[in-house]
Amino acid sequence: MITKAHSNWRKTWFCCVAGAFLLLWSLFLPPVADAVNAEQETRLDQFLRQSMATGAIPGMALVIVKDGEISRAKGYGVTGDGLPFTADTPILIASLSKAMTAAVALMLVAQDRIDLDAPVRRYLPEFRIATPDGGASITVRHLLNQTSGLSDPGFPEMRLAQPGSLAERVSSLQSAVPEDMPGETFHYFNSNYALVARIVEAVSGKPFEVVLEDRLFGPLGMAGTKAVPTFALAQKLNVPPAAGHVAAYGQAWRWHEPGGFLGGHGGVISTAADMGKWMRWQMTGQPDILPPELRTLMQTPPAGSSYAMGWFRQTVNGETAIWHDGVFSTVFSDIVIKPEQGLGIVLLYGVGGALPAAVTFPNIRAGALAIASGKSPEPSGVSSVAIGRWAGAVTLFLTSAAVMDLSNWRRAGTALTWRAAAGQAARLIPFIFLLSLPQILQFASGRAFSFEAIFFAMLDLTVGLAIVGAVLALSAFCRLALIARHGRRPGLADAGRRT
């Protein structure tokens, strides 16, 4: 017979065993959220490594901020120096620097030391441009919103002698011819942000790079981040930025950055880990170093524009994206914030080039964002490696055809006919097209890039044009030399002869 006391004892024993079992279960089995995060990390690793293989990316790093926390910061592959590319690898972030310039300028606005709607000349009396009023109506806000009217066609800064300081850049702008009246039209123009940086110097009484360190990098804990006014000074740092690569024919080739002046618009050197802290502040406002309304203003474009203050802001499929990219010949950087999702991502690449920027990097950005959101990335059937190899095959074919044309120069006609002249002119087209690329791209994009920057950014195209153009130009020279040697100058009656 089971007594009541015995029954109670059995119930107590059962509850203890069950409780112990549940405790052990909770200790040895991960929570569902952790399992999901682990799965996302595995998928993200696989996606990035596959994308690096199909995109000829030797090394890269990313950082993800989710719901106000840095959820992932990791590097992959190697730098141009052959070192591991980690979350602490420093690289030049190029135009991602602009929002940092805007941030410290707005901090001075918060202290009533800069008025956004004051003319630039209030702070820089020496500022002049090539207009009757010398740019007197250009305001600080116009500079930050890139609506000053200044543009690359009126001042091709990347093709001109490079200054060594912000003061020299301001002085050089005396020859700048604006394309529009201030406040009318957006023109992406690096020197707008060089002017803002110089205003920060003038108001604070300190070098711009020191202001960035004191007011931004230090408070945000960005210990691995520095700023320099020129590429040459970046190479003299104790820890210089990692070397990168150029892309050509489906491969990445270690190369040096052309360099130049970077002050205010492209001179920040940072890491994925530090960029996570910067992005988290942009998303949360913590630590509280800038009033929320000014941080919002920095991310909000004026009416009729998609450019705010160092940020582009667009709505795609009903979802807001705040973004910017940074473009150099040998490195590339990308930042995107999705406010509605509380999600942000930074991607730093150890390779540059027009082809990966157009094909590979957008797919990686979209795929990484999808995985971080718990979705599957859209499959991409485009591979920059495959495109590069096709470009190599085309270059080889055209080079072979050009060499065959050159080998036949002795059999060309010896009369300077209209047909002969047209034939030699046609042989110069590839070389002329190569030399005209800066003007062609300026017409198409409004940006005035240097020939060196264009050459290394588009190696699949420019190397092919250089080789084929040189062989055909030599063929044309040989044919003209043959005609000159014979000294014949017939008229149109000989137009039927071979060229």
Side-chain angles (χ1 to χ4, degrees):
M1 181 177 179
I2 301 175
T3 63
K4 184 176 181 180
H6 185 67
S7 176
N8 289 338
W9 179 86
R10 287 206 308 176
K11 290 179 180 178
T12 302
W13 180 84
F14 177 79
C15 290
C16 289
V17 172
F21 179 77
L22 290 174
L23 177 61
L24 290 172
W25 182 276
S26 65
L27 288 175
F28 288 100
L29 285 183
V32 173
D34 288 347
V36 171
N37 290 338
E39 180 186 356
Q40 284 183 349
E41 289 185 7
T42 300
R43 291 173 60 208
L44 189 57
D45 278 344
Q46 291 175 344
F47 170 75
L48 291 177
R49 294 188 189 282
Q50 181 180 5
S51 298
M52 291 172 67
T54 59
I57 301 173
M60 63 173 291
L62 92 159
V63 59
I64 297 173
V65 173
K66 180 66 175 175
D67 298 328
E69 298 296 332
I70 298 175
S71 64
R72 184 175 182 81
K74 187 174 181 179
Y76 303 82
V78 296
T79 68
D81 306 299
L83 301 174
F85 205 125
T86 72
D88 296 316
T89 295
I91 76 165
L92 281 160
I93 62 170
S95 289
L96 269 58
S97 308
K98 289 183 172 67
M100 297 177 182
T101 299
V104 293
L106 289 172
M107 290 175 190
L108 294 172
V109 171
Q111 296 178 338
D112 294 325
R113 300 174 69 184
I114 292 179
D115 181 350
L116 286 174
D117 295 310
V120 172
R121 281 197 198 166
R122 175 185 295 183
Y123 310 103
L124 303 177
E126 71 276 19
F127 170 64
R128 293 289 187 281
I129 61 172
T131 60
D133 70 348
S137 58
I138 297 176
T139 68
V140 179
R141 190 187 300 271
H142 291 149
L143 298 177
L144 287 165
N145 289 146
Q146 302 263 32
T147 57
S148 66
L150 297 171
S151 65
D152 280 6
F155 187 79
E157 55 187 359
M158 286 179 273
R159 297 182 197 155
L160 302 175
Q162 296 294 291
S165 67
L166 291 167
E168 290 180 19
R169 171 53 81 208
V170 174
S171 177
S172 69
L173 287 168
Q174 293 181 20
S175 62
V177 178
E179 193 168 344
D180 291 288
M181 294 295 293
E184 287 186 353
T185 309
F186 164 78
H187 295 288
Y188 194 92
F189 184 59
N190 284 332
S191 288
N192 282 329
Y193 274 74
L195 285 167
V196 174
R198 181 58 180 156
I199 290 172
V200 169
E201 284 189 338
V203 171
S204 67
K206 297 179 181 180
F208 176 67
E209 293 75 25
V210 174
V211 177
L212 280 174
E213 177 66 37
D214 292 346
R215 289 180 169 266
L216 193 65
F217 303 155
L220 295 186
M222 299 170 67
T225 301
K226 303 291 181 185
V228 292
T230 67
F231 184 79
L233 287 175
Q235 303 309 302
K236 296 179 181 180
L237 293 173
N238 291 333
V239 183
H245 301 78
V246 292
Y249 302 119
Q251 297 289 328
W253 311 83
R254 187 185 186 279
W255 199 252
H256 64 87
E257 186 65 41
F261 183 68
L262 308 171
H265 60 80
V268 174
I269 302 161
S270 192
T271 69
D274 276 5
M275 289 302 291
K277 298 171 184 178
W278 160 249
M279 183 166 56
R280 180 175 60 189
W281 177 72
Q282 284 286 334
M283 296 169 69
T284 67
Q286 298 300 319
D288 186 14
I289 56 176
L290 185 69
E293 62 273 15
L294 289 178
R295 185 171 55 87
T296 299
L297 176 67
M298 178 168 47
Q299 300 173 1
T300 306
S305 176
S306 62
Y307 196 87
M309 297 181 177
W311 292 102
F312 287 96
R313 187 184 186 103
Q314 294 173 304
T315 300
V316 180
N317 298 325
E319 190 173 55
T320 301
I322 302 169
W323 65 276
H324 213 292
D325 55 20
V327 181
F328 278 142
S329 296
T330 61
V331 293
F332 188 93
S333 52
D334 213 348
I335 183 169
V336 183
I337 296 173
K338 296 291 190 72
E340 288 91 347
Q341 295 185 32
L343 176 64
I345 187 169
V346 173
L347 295 150
L348 306 178
Y349 300 95
V351 63
L355 181 58
V359 174
T360 305
F361 301 153
N363 289 333
I364 293 178
R365 179 179 64 232
L369 283 169
I371 294 172
S373 303
K375 303 175 184 177
S376 297
E378 293 289 335
S380 173
V382 182
S383 164
S384 59
V385 169
I387 295 174
R389 288 172 179 170
W390 274 106
V394 171
T395 298
L396 183 60
F397 172 79
L398 293 178
T399 301
S400 301
V403 169
M404 289 180 63
D405 180 76
L406 174 61
S407 66
N408 292 328
W409 71 273
R410 291 182 181 276
R411 288 182 284 174
T414 57
L416 185 58
T417 64
W418 288 111
R419 182 177 174 184
Q424 310 329 314
R427 289 179 172 88
L428 297 178
I429 289 176
F431 207 70
I432 293 172
F433 184 78
L434 173 66
L435 297 178
S436 302
L437 274 176
Q439 288 70 36
I440 294 171
L441 291 177
Q442 179 176 320
F443 177 79
S445 68
R447 302 296 310 281
F449 299 104
S450 68
F451 181 82
E452 183 181 16
I454 292 171
F455 189 90
F456 289 108
M458 308 174 69
L459 278 172
D460 298 281
L461 174 64
T462 54
V463 168
L465 286 172
I467 295 173
V468 175
V471 175
L472 288 179
L474 179 60
S475 179
F477 174 80
C478 290
R479 283 168 163 76
L480 290 173
L482 181 64
I483 293 172
R485 189 175 65 185
H486 283 74
R488 297 178 59 190
R489 299 291 186 274
L492 293 175
D494 293 329
R497 295 195 179 188
R498 293 179 300 166
T499 59

